[in-house]
Amino acid sequence: MTTQKRIVFIGAAGDMCRVAIERFAEAAGEAEWQLELYDIRPDALDALVASLPPGSASSGSFDLFDGVALRTAIEGAALVVLGAGPYIRTAEPVMEACIEKGIPYLDLDDDEASTRAALEMDGAAKAAGVPIFVGCGASPGLTNVMAADAARDMDTVDRIDVGWATGDEGPVEFGRAVLDHAIRGFAGPCRTWENGREVTHQTFVESDVFDLGGSFGSAYRLYECAHPEAVTMPRRWPGADRIRVLGALDPPPVSGVMRGVAVAVEEGRISMDEAIDFVNAVITDRSGSPKVWRHALAGLWGSIRRGEIAVGDVLRYFAAAARKKHPDFRGINYVKVTGRRDGRQVTSVRRVPVSGPGTPWTSMAAGTGSATAAFMVLALDELGDLAGVLAPEDWAKPEEFYAALARTGRASSLDQVVEAVRS
């Protein structure tokens, strides 16, 4: 591991970045890393700093859009980790500063547009000899590594289906930036890879069912969405016929609700602020705006009409909501790769065991933050050997990543990290 000791985190108070910091500190063990945590809400970092080994972490604040302040904060660091969104605004200035200063960079970016913008900086990063590690979370991140792992089971790759599902985490409001990103992800154009070329679809229109296993069962419906895997993976597998990402919120009626709200925002029928207020109200067991409910119900009706969800599922969802009863959280990351080996068609699946109570992955933040910490462990071992803008499939070795994730995810065995299904 490099002898440089400073790691700078920007946006450290976010739920996912906070987990990444905690899990990296655990995995680092006796290594004397100095963790510098920055956020626009520095007071929100007090408890986190106090929980880390004494003297190992400090907190502060600066405006990342202030070029002088940003460069002063990162000067001489071994690694800069960006956890502050929206990445379409925050990633480029931080990457530019890191390239200028010769400092490795790593982020949790799950935005398609900002990933495209990052790839345009590949030449500058290579010329500067700086590694820019993008998409280092669960999806993208873990899913990219699972795809690279599964692809080794075949001679040629024809199709890659990346899937994610994430569930109810109880009556807790989400940050406005998080919900802004999520709502935009349920409507609008979706750039994907089809027939060996880049094409545009509409988000959450096309769907398919997959054998996710566990409590999700053998036929769980996921919807195509805009995500970075479909942007970066064609660089690794340009001959693939199709590379797409599909996702869903659990329980299934929630996807219909979010789709209706997102379409209303896209069409200008409601504002983004109205949509965010509505989602946070419903999450926290309040009634929500009747104006927005009209659009949410239209989204649900569309899902029923297309046969994507059953009326019984919707009735059970509303009955539980009326009792303010939240289901146990569950989530999953899934990758299905189809190709040919020795002239025969083969399929290879990698999936994370269904997360939830009693597992290492008790929330979306736990899964994403643990993966980010594992990528940090690997990246710090690779410094000096890599340069350019790198997605996980470009550099992370599956076995080494899984081993690191078992540590940062507090898993008791590799079986709790990933399952392989081949046919």
Side-chain angles (χ1 to χ4, degrees):
M1 195 174 275
T2 178
T3 57
Q4 293 177 292
K5 293 297 185 182
R6 291 177 55 237
I7 301 177
V8 172
F9 294 85
I10 302 174
D15 290 342
M16 296 175 188
C17 198
R18 181 186 295 268
V19 173
I21 293 164
E22 293 172 340
R23 302 298 175 87
F24 174 79
E26 289 179 9
E30 298 300 317
E32 296 179 358
W33 288 102
Q34 181 62 34
L35 310 181
E36 297 184 5
L37 317 183
Y38 293 96
D39 199 273
I40 58 173
R41 305 163 294 157
D43 55 310
L45 294 168
D46 293 345
L48 176 59
V49 171
S51 71
L52 299 173
S56 68
S58 60
S59 63
S61 181
F62 68 88
D63 181 356
L64 69 82
F65 299 107
D66 180 335
V68 174
L70 170 60
R71 285 159 176 78
T72 299
I74 69 174
E75 183 75 43
L79 180 68
V80 170
V81 179
L82 178 63
Y87 287 97
I88 194 62
R89 294 184 60 237
T90 61
E92 187 171 354
V94 179
M95 285 189 288
E96 286 179 345
C98 286
I99 291 170
E100 177 187 318
K101 291 291 185 178
I103 298 170
Y105 163 100
L106 184 148
D107 68 32
L108 296 71
D109 189 0
D110 64 350
D111 181 80
E112 176 197 281
S114 55
T115 299
R116 292 181 186 281
L119 293 178
E120 293 178 1
M121 304 177 74
D122 182 56
K126 286 179 177 175
V130 177
I132 302 293
F133 302 106
V134 297
C136 295
S139 177
L142 168 59
T143 49
N144 304 61
V145 177
M146 292 195 296
D149 182 16
R152 297 184 299 182
D153 291 338
M154 53 205 70
D155 302 320
T156 59
V157 170
D158 296 330
R159 294 186 172 187
I160 302 176
D161 291 308
V162 176
W164 58 266
T166 190
D168 191 320
E169 297 187 20
V172 180
E173 285 195 0
F174 281 89
R176 300 189 75 82
V178 173
L179 284 180
D180 184 301
H181 170 74
I183 291 166
R184 294 182 193 279
F186 279 78
C190 168
R191 302 295 291 274
T192 190
W193 189 259
E194 186 174 74
N195 298 321
R197 61 187 178 89
E198 190 177 82
V199 300
T200 300
H201 289 175
Q202 285 296 309
T203 300
F204 265 69
V205 171
E206 294 191 17
S207 68
D208 206 344
V209 295
F210 296 90
D211 181 2
L212 301 184
S215 60
F216 282 108
S218 60
Y220 196 89
R221 186 172 298 276
L222 302 177
Y223 299 82
E224 188 173 31
C225 58
H227 236 240
E229 293 95 329
V231 174
T232 66
M233 286 183 182
R235 302 193 310 165
R236 173 76 181 269
W237 297 285
D241 177 62
R242 184 182 73 194
I243 300 174
R244 60 178 180 168
V245 184
L246 306 98
L249 298 180
D250 186 69
V254 181
S255 289
V257 168
M258 287 291 284
R259 170 69 179 167
V261 172
V263 169
V265 171
E266 184 188 29
E267 294 178 347
R269 299 176 184 276
I270 60 174
S271 69
M272 179 59 77
D273 282 338
E274 288 176 309
I276 291 171
D277 290 341
F278 170 81
V279 173
N280 267 333
V282 173
I283 288 172
T284 55
D285 301 327
R286 290 173 284 139
S287 60
S289 162
K291 173 185 176 182
V292 183
W293 261 121
R294 179 163 60 88
H295 301 292
L297 291 174
L300 265 178
W301 170 243
S303 297
I304 294 170
R305 181 171 46 82
R306 292 186 296 271
E308 296 166 357
I309 55 176
V311 173
D313 292 332
V314 174
L315 294 177
R316 283 188 288 273
Y317 166 71
F318 280 117
R323 302 194 310 272
K324 299 183 179 181
K325 180 176 175 57
H326 292 258
D328 287 338
F329 170 81
R330 62 177 182 174
I332 196 167
N333 294 116
Y334 169 97
V335 175
K336 177 182 178 182
V337 180
T338 304
R340 304 193 75 82
R341 183 179 63 230
D342 298 330
R344 299 178 57 190
Q345 181 173 302
V346 294
T347 298
S348 191
V349 169
R350 298 295 182 276
R351 62 191 183 197
V352 175
V354 176
S355 59
T359 77
W361 327 110
T362 54
S363 67
M364 184 168 62
T368 300
S370 297
T372 299
F375 280 116
M376 289 177 61
V377 170
L378 263 62
L380 289 165
D381 281 336
E382 297 286 341
L383 297 183
D385 299 325
L386 299 170
V389 178
L390 303 161
E393 67 270 22
D394 299 324
W395 65 279
K397 300 177 180 64
E399 287 80 10
E400 293 179 8
F401 177 75
Y402 295 153
L405 184 57
R407 291 163 56 199
T408 59
R410 301 171 178 168
S412 59
S413 68
L414 286 178
D415 291 339
Q416 289 188 312
V417 173
V418 67
E419 298 174 339
V421 182
R422 300 175 176 90
S423 60

